[in-house]
Amino acid sequence: MASRFAHLHVHSHYSLMQGADTIEALAQAARGHGMDRFALTDTNALYGFVFYRQICEEQGLRPIAGAEVVSPPAAAPDRTGAVPDRAVLLARGREGYRSLCRVLTARHLDPAFSLDRAVREHPASLALLSGQRRLLSALRDALPVYAELVPGRDDRGLLRWARGEGLACVATNDVHFVHREKHRVHHTLRAIARNTTLDRVPHHDLAEPERTFLSAEEMEARFPHAPEAIENAARLADECAVDWPMGRTVFPSYPLERGDAFEILRARCEAGILHRYGRDPSPDVRARLERELAVIREKGFADYFLIVEAITSRTPRICGRGSGAASIVAYLLGITHVDPVRHNLFFERFLSPERKDPPDIDVDFAWDERDQIQLDVLEENGAPVRAAMVANHVGFRARAAIHEIAKVYGLPEEEIRNVTKRLTAFWGLEDPVERLDGHPRFRDVDFEPPWPEILAQAVALEGHPRHLSVHSGGIVLVPDSLADHVPVEIAPKGVPIVQWEKDQVEDYGLVKMDLLGNRSLAVIRDGLAAVARNTGREIDERTWNPIDDPETRRLVAAGDTLGCFYVESPSMRQLQRKAGVGDFDHLVIHSSIIRPAANRYIREYVRRLKGGAYDPIHPALQHTLDETYGIMVYQEDVTKVAMEMAGFTLAQAEGLRKALGQKRPVKPLRAYQEEFFSGAGARGVERRVAEEVWDMILSFAVYSFCKPHSASYALVSFRSAWLRAHFPAEFMAAVISNQGGYYSTFAYVSEARRMGLRILPPDANASAREYTGKARELRVGLMQVKGLHEAAVEALIEERRRGGSFRSLADLRARVPLHLSDAELLVKSGACDSIGEGKTRPELLWELYLCSGGSGRPAAGELFEPEPVHAPHAAAYDRATVLRHEVETLGFLLSAHPLEPFQDQLRARGVIRACDLPRHAGRRVRVGGWFVSSKLAQTKDKEPMEFLSFEDTTALYDATIFPDAYRRFCHLLTSTRPFVLEGRVEEDYGVCTLTVEGVERL
């Protein structure tokens, strides 16, 4: 039975920087008041609509689609001082929802948007609520309109006017929060949005503290003089309840000149067989192709494959990944590059007759090519009408929340930074901010008021959506109009985006494809181009497959993979060295098992890999997990184990797998847990065994890979490693030039030295913009000179190409219009040493200053030539000055290791060389170290600890600081000073690490 009142004007935290409560909190409030529905009417948006529908279903509520539409101030230039037009629009059925999406799309895309005009153009099945009399009068003939009575906002005056005009009234409370206490959060959000302090937020920009989620009785008490307004709210809510299904797939269509999409797909696959397998493919290949084509035909997915092929065919430089890499159809079309038959990839992880959701193929492009490819795809497919990017809903993280809240409380920036700089980049809910005052990193911070209130507010805002950004690769295509399904707006980046992030897009039924950027693909591209330039050897990226190359396998097995895609992190290199295997199939396993929640299984995996005996978890899994030594590694292992051990259907098991990784699964994980234990028990599985398996299943939550994805990544890893093994200079130059790897430029340059490469400084005649490598030499590029203008670099290189090498600094300045600051940087970095004509760097700088005539530009010609002034003789800089200039101009020491100046201090402390650590296994040692990388972690007891990498002049090594030592020494750790580390050398399967017990900063 419908409740006697329903809230029809409710803001959640998806009313960005306004609403204070989550949809869940609002739904619980409705249930707590005995209501069976409420309308979610966020400002100018349906950002949370799909989640709202799912939450309503979970809570037993009937959803109502709506939004509060507010015209931008510029839309009313003719009404001086007038407030923007404002109205709540409610959808009455599917047609009304379509009209609502169209109005919201116009609100965001039309620079001359007018609310009354937009509603007149799209009135079908909409109802309008407003407190603005002009708007109600203007639109009463276009659609049902209601005077919105909000208690305390001249509701009695509006009621008298509406009755006089013969207009119906509806009671609302313009809800912004469930309880009054959340008004403080609302106030804080408005201050942050306005970039001002709490006391300077205008009163008219704040919802009153009374705008809470009142019960029906409380609303009736506020409208004894207008009972019809309460009744109308209930009646209108009943008319507007969402009654159409969600989740029906909306497929894009492939533009056909003639023929049938499926027949075109089959023909392309036949051509692909000849290309991939030759004229005589194995029966397994044929059988696999027919099985996949049958599913694709039944599901009507042929258009999707053809569209993705059309996108990927524009470049050979791709990595098709995700579950789509399990498809032989994708492999034959050139969308993916890993043979799913040879590597036993599970097609049903991607598509099956039982699966209801559409296919989802992720494709990586070189990072610097991706944006243009995305723009081309959007343009070719009719953006913003039929194509748009997927949105990201960017929420507050602890650091940003603390910083912004402290600002609006009026605290000075220096005090705020003293707190936020101690938070790691990934600090989140697992490290509650209310415990900061007990954390070792904050031992010297005094959390006096208002800090306790600031930290409490930061907890409340954790994950609170703040603004929209563009998803890194998701694109949605439809055959008709996106605005029939979801509102579209323009992102700050300038591209059209739908208002939902990826989970809502998929759950609604829209088909998306991910066109992502990958720096390692650019590294491989640039490395291969350098190989071709230097040696004449051309390699076709479409067919290149180095997974059987012996030298590459040896390098991967040894963990010598710094710079190699996905296998360069300390934990991955340690796993490779412990395992001692470098073949492709094991690298696929390692790429999946190296996830945080699987750490407890890695050592057991290595033991079994080395020949250690083990029994399967359960006889039913005897063969299911054979290739991974009885340990669940891939996402599809969850599917297989649930089917084998608990009797799940494929659809059931896939539902469980998806629930592990979704913010809001269709069916809660706890329901799957009950079904799993029930099914396992019915098959005679002991409770203890079922619990052990369920724990392993839970390790796949949040972050895990399917095998096809890992295989695709492993192929990119192998290609990277092949370049490192055979062309190290070209490879390292490409790694550094593309930036963005796991390590700093300094770390890669140090690694290049350890590889035996000669590091050459920047040179005006020899350096390109990027780093370059040839034979055994690595040349620093002009891009490394900090502060050097890009225009100066381009002009210098272009003039050198046009007119040949520069003969002197004077020749360089005569031919290239360099600003004094750019010329000074070139001299200080050593880039002008080769054209210095025997002059020292101080003499070259004197020459610059004298020739500049005291300005930043070369002196212009004068009526009378001035007397020539010669630079004085000056001695070369001492070693310390040269090194200081290197740090200033390049960002790191180039001609010496940063530990070199501290050798006497290190010897005095009796340090050993890092390369000798294996000889001291089990002993306490001291070793010098320069910080390379770190990863903060927690023990099972939630105590902080840290994994770090250091290097000395001989080797890179890994260290662990456990909680006791972390509490004592974490405040000393920095990336700009050398250390003496003291601790015990631990050895595990031939790999040594240092357990740190003491830290001294030199």
Side-chain angles (χ1 to χ4, degrees):
M1 178 179 171
S3 59
R4 64 179 188 269
F5 173 77
H7 281 287
L8 297 180
H9 189 175
V10 179
H11 295 274
S12 75
H13 64 2
Y14 285 107
S15 287
L16 304 183
M17 306 304 289
Q18 294 182 53
D21 272 306
T22 64
I23 299 174
E24 289 92 337
L26 295 166
Q28 289 163 8
R31 294 300 300 165
H33 289 320
M35 298 179 181
D36 65 347
R37 71 196 71 191
F38 70 94
L40 184 67
T41 57
D42 285 313
T43 306
N44 294 328
L46 294 175
Y47 296 141
F49 177 69
V50 176
F51 288 154
Y52 164 65
R53 287 195 61 168
Q54 293 167 341
I55 292 165
C56 284
E57 184 175 349
E58 292 169 11
Q59 296 284 343
L61 300 171
R62 295 189 67 185
I64 299 170
E68 182 179 38
V69 184
V70 183
S71 293
D78 57 321
R79 297 196 302 278
T80 305
V83 296
D85 289 339
R86 181 184 297 266
V88 171
L89 296 180
L90 301 175
R92 296 183 298 163
R94 179 68 180 84
E95 183 63 28
Y97 175 76
R98 184 179 292 112
S99 298
L100 177 62
C101 289
R102 289 172 176 173
V103 171
L104 289 172
T105 298
R107 166 63 180 82
H108 290 283
L109 298 188
D110 183 359
F113 176 79
S114 160
L115 178 55
D116 50 4
R117 186 179 71 246
V119 171
R120 285 188 179 279
E121 290 174 355
H122 308 289
S125 300
L126 283 177
L128 180 145
L129 284 57
S130 181
Q132 296 179 326
R133 302 177 188 185
R134 187 203 66 80
L135 201 61
L136 292 168
S137 298
L139 291 172
R140 65 185 302 171
D141 63 333
L143 76 170
V145 299
Y146 297 83
E148 182 185 8
L149 306 182
V150 181
R153 292 184 184 172
D154 189 31
D155 54 296
R156 291 179 181 268
L158 181 61
L159 176 63
R160 285 194 299 272
W161 175 84
R163 284 173 172 170
E165 294 290 320
L167 290 178
C169 298
V170 165
T172 81
N173 199 38
D174 189 10
V175 177
H176 277 69
F177 24 82
V178 174
H179 302 295
R180 289 178 67 102
E181 304 85 71
K182 279 295 187 75
H183 185 267
R184 188 63 169 177
V185 173
H186 166 70
H187 192 168
T188 300
L189 288 169
R190 295 312 304 144
I192 294 172
R194 284 181 162 268
N195 194 25
T196 189
T197 54
L198 290 168
D199 58 347
R200 299 187 69 178
V201 179
H203 180 72
H204 66 77
D205 196 32
L206 293 173
E208 307 93 311
E210 294 77 24
R211 303 281 79 88
T212 59
F213 202 103
L214 299 175
S215 68
E217 292 79 9
E218 290 169 318
M219 287 296 293
E220 288 169 344
R222 282 159 175 76
F223 289 97
H225 55 291
E228 72 272 24
I230 299 292
E231 295 167 3
N232 286 341
R235 180 184 56 76
L236 187 56
D238 194 48
E239 289 178 13
C240 295
V242 171
D243 59 357
W244 74 91
M246 185 176 67
R248 292 178 179 172
T249 304
V250 181
F251 282 108
S253 57
Y254 181 75
L256 296 172
E257 294 182 4
R258 57 181 175 276
D260 172 74
F262 180 78
E263 293 307 321
I264 293 173
L265 178 65
R266 177 181 283 279
R268 300 264 174 89
C269 288
E270 291 297 335
I273 283 185
L274 188 63
H275 174 66
R276 294 290 197 185
Y277 296 102
R279 296 187 178 280
D280 189 25
S282 71
D284 289 343
V285 168
R286 278 285 174 199
R288 176 67 171 260
L289 175 60
E290 292 304 321
R291 178 160 63 95
E292 290 193 19
L293 285 175
V295 174
I296 292 168
R297 184 173 209 165
E298 177 188 338
K299 292 288 187 179
F301 292 163
D303 289 85
Y304 179 83
F305 280 89
L306 292 173
I307 290 170
V308 176
E309 183 210 20
I311 294 170
T312 58
S313 63
R314 64 192 70 207
T315 173
R317 204 165 299 109
I318 62 168
C319 170
R321 58 180 177 89
S323 61
S327 167
I328 196 172
V329 170
Y331 180 60
L332 297 177
L333 295 176
I335 297 169
T336 61
H337 292 307
V338 177
D339 184 346
V341 176
R342 174 180 175 181
H343 299 291
N344 190 29
L345 303 182
F346 184 53
F347 174 67
E348 282 70 19
R349 168 63 180 84
F350 176 53
L351 290 178
S352 71
E354 292 85 358
R355 279 190 64 169
K356 296 179 181 178
D357 45 334
D360 183 9
I361 298 177
D362 301 340
V363 183
D364 283 352
F365 298 86
W367 70 277
D368 51 0
E369 300 174 12
R370 177 202 63 183
D371 284 1
Q372 189 57 52
I373 289 171
Q374 289 176 347
L375 291 174
D376 291 345
V377 171
L378 289 172
E379 182 179 356
E380 292 164 8
N381 288 276
V385 177
R386 293 185 292 109
M389 300 290 293
V390 175
N392 273 340
H393 293 169
V394 181
F396 281 100
R397 295 285 287 170
R399 181 188 295 184
I402 291 172
H403 183 269
E404 294 297 333
I405 296 168
K407 271 176 57 180
V408 305
Y409 272 73
L411 297 186
E413 184 66 24
E414 185 176 351
E415 182 180 348
I416 299 171
R417 280 186 51 78
N418 187 41
V419 172
T420 57
K421 71 182 181 181
R422 301 164 193 252
L423 296 172
T424 67
F426 300 103
W427 205 291
L429 286 173
E430 68 276 8
D431 306 289
V433 291
E434 66 265 26
R435 294 212 313 246
L436 293 186
D437 57 355
H439 195 283
R441 282 178 179 261
F442 298 89
R443 61 174 59 186
D444 60 341
V445 177
D446 189 6
F447 286 106
E448 290 294 316
W451 276 107
E453 188 174 347
I454 290 170
L455 297 181
Q457 290 244 34
V459 172
L461 287 187
E462 177 81 35
H464 201 107
R466 184 177 184 181
H467 60 84
L468 263 62
S469 68
V470 183
H471 185 274
S472 56
I475 290 182
V476 179
L477 307 177
V478 296
D480 41 23
S481 172
L482 276 168
D484 287 347
H485 309 283
V486 57
V488 178
E489 60 185 80
I490 300 296
K493 185 178 177 180
V495 299
I497 53 173
V498 298
Q499 289 193 336
W500 300 331
E501 44 65 77
K502 67 181 186 66
D503 285 347
Q504 294 189 86
V505 164
E506 292 172 351
D507 290 346
Y508 181 86
L510 297 177
V511 175
K512 77 172 178 68
M513 53 193 70
D514 284 326
L515 311 181
L516 300 150
N518 186 320
R519 287 185 184 270
S520 285
L521 293 179
V523 168
I524 293 168
R525 174 199 64 202
D526 295 346
L528 292 179
V531 169
R533 279 195 311 271
N534 295 342
T535 70
R537 180 173 180 180
E538 299 274 358
I539 294 174
D540 182 358
E541 291 184 64
R542 293 187 189 276
T543 57
W544 177 41
N545 191 348
I547 65 176
D548 295 319
D549 177 65
E551 194 61 35
T552 305
R553 286 187 166 201
R554 279 193 292 272
L555 182 140
V556 172
D560 289 334
T561 50
L562 213 73
C564 298
F565 174 67
Y566 206 72
V567 292
E568 65 169 339
S569 69
S571 56
M572 191 68 181
R573 288 185 295 104
Q574 281 189 38
L575 176 55
Q576 286 302 125
R577 286 150 57 201
K578 289 176 182 178
V581 291
D583 62 282
F584 181 80
D585 289 335
H586 279 96
L587 188 63
V588 175
I589 295 174
H590 299 171
S591 296
S592 271
I593 203 172
I594 199 74
R595 62 185 193 277
N599 285 341
R600 53 186 159 155
Y601 303 115
I602 289 177
R603 196 173 190 284
E604 176 62 14
Y605 162 77
V606 174
R607 186 190 72 79
R608 296 180 183 186
L609 173 67
K610 296 285 188 180
Y614 70 93
D615 292 320
I617 304 172
H618 187 269
L621 307 179
Q622 178 81 41
H623 302 295
T624 305
L625 303 176
D626 269 359
E627 68 178 70
T628 54
Y629 304 89
I631 294 172
M632 294 171 65
V633 171
Y634 308 119
Q635 287 178 349
E636 49 267 57
D637 290 341
V638 172
T639 303
K640 294 175 182 177
V641 167
M643 294 170 69
E644 294 285 348
M645 180 175 280
F648 278 29
T649 64
L650 177 58
Q652 230 182 334
E654 278 292 282
L656 165 61
R657 178 196 60 74
K658 289 189 71 175
L660 289 165
Q662 288 183 319
K663 295 179 188 175
R664 176 160 299 283
V666 175
K667 184 161 77 174
L669 197 56
R670 62 180 177 271
Y672 284 109
Q673 181 180 6
E674 293 171 4
E675 292 173 2
F676 181 84
F677 282 111
S678 174
R683 292 185 163 219
V685 179
E686 294 180 25
R687 180 77 181 190
R688 175 189 58 81
V689 174
E691 288 174 351
E692 183 182 348
V693 173
W694 184 253
D695 282 345
M696 203 178 287
I697 287 173
L698 291 182
S699 75
F700 287 82
V702 183
Y703 183 79
S704 59
F705 286 167
C706 60
K707 185 180 178 183
H709 182 91
S710 292
S712 295
Y713 267 12
L715 180 58
V716 179
S717 301
F718 250 88
R719 289 177 168 182
S720 303
W722 183 90
L723 277 168
R724 175 172 166 136
H726 295 282
F727 298 96
E730 290 87 345
F731 173 70
M732 293 305 290
V735 168
I736 299 172
S737 295
N738 280 283
Q739 304 181 307
Y742 190 90
Y743 301 96
S744 66
T745 297
F746 161 74
Y748 289 121
V749 170
S750 289
E751 176 71 359
R753 278 202 185 90
R754 288 189 291 269
M755 293 163 66
L757 301 181
R758 181 180 171 217
I759 311 301
L760 302 177
D763 188 292
N765 271 336
S767 288
R769 180 194 177 278
E770 296 80 14
Y771 279 66
T772 51
K774 185 176 182 179
R776 305 298 299 176
E777 293 181 342
L778 178 67
R779 171 75 69 179
V780 176
L782 295 177
M783 62 180 282
Q784 191 61 54
V785 182
K786 300 172 76 66
L788 186 61
H789 292 94
E790 188 67 31
V793 175
E794 293 174 1
L796 186 153
I797 292 173
E798 175 58 26
E799 174 56 28
R800 192 177 69 202
R801 184 196 62 77
R802 188 196 65 80
S805 297
F806 303 107
R807 299 184 301 277
S808 64
L809 179 59
D811 182 42
L812 170 62
R813 298 194 75 232
R815 293 164 53 189
V816 181
L818 290 176
H819 192 279
L820 175 62
S821 63
D822 289 326
E824 187 177 13
L825 285 169
L826 290 172
V827 171
K828 282 187 170 184
S829 67
C832 293
D833 287 357
S834 66
I835 57 173
E837 301 177 298
K839 298 171 186 173
T840 64
R841 291 184 191 176
E843 289 171 343
L844 293 175
L845 289 174
W846 267 108
E847 180 181 323
L848 283 177
Y849 301 146
L850 291 171
C851 293
S852 69
S855 71
R857 298 287 179 188
E862 299 179 7
L863 181 59
F864 300 102
E865 286 295 323
E867 290 292 323
V869 181
H870 299 288
H873 293 292
Y877 289 128
D878 60 23
R879 178 70 168 159
T881 303
V882 170
L883 296 181
R884 188 174 71 252
H885 284 174
E886 285 182 2
V887 173
E888 288 175 5
T889 60
L890 303 178
F892 58 88
L893 290 181
L894 181 69
S895 60
H897 192 280
L899 290 183
E900 190 177 293
F902 299 91
Q903 288 304 306
D904 290 343
Q905 295 181 57
L906 292 170
R907 275 192 293 270
R909 286 162 174 76
V911 301
I912 67 167
R913 299 187 306 170
C915 64
D916 292 332
L917 281 172
R919 293 167 47 191
H920 296 270
R923 302 181 197 162
R924 284 178 59 87
V925 299
R926 287 182 174 179
V927 59
W930 187 268
F931 173 87
V932 175
S933 68
S934 68
K935 180 182 179 184
L936 195 64
Q938 288 184 334
T939 66
K940 292 179 181 178
D941 298 326
K942 303 297 183 184
E943 292 186 286
M945 57 177 290
E946 196 159 10
F947 298 104
L948 301 111
S949 294
F950 295 92
E951 66 169 51
D952 69 1
T953 57
T954 68
L956 184 70
Y957 63 96
D958 299 317
T960 306
I961 304 185
F962 287 106
D964 286 344
Y966 183 84
R967 278 190 288 271
R968 290 159 53 205
F969 302 117
C970 68
H971 63 289
L972 296 176
L973 298 175
T974 174
S975 61
T976 59
R977 295 286 296 277
F979 297 97
V980 173
L981 305 173
E982 185 173 351
R984 183 173 298 277
V985 181
E986 309 285 354
E987 185 269 335
D988 188 35
Y989 289 107
V991 175
C992 287
T993 58
L994 184 71
T995 298
V996 177
E997 298 167 356
V999 177
E1000 179 187 359
R1001 192 162 64 189
L1002 297 181

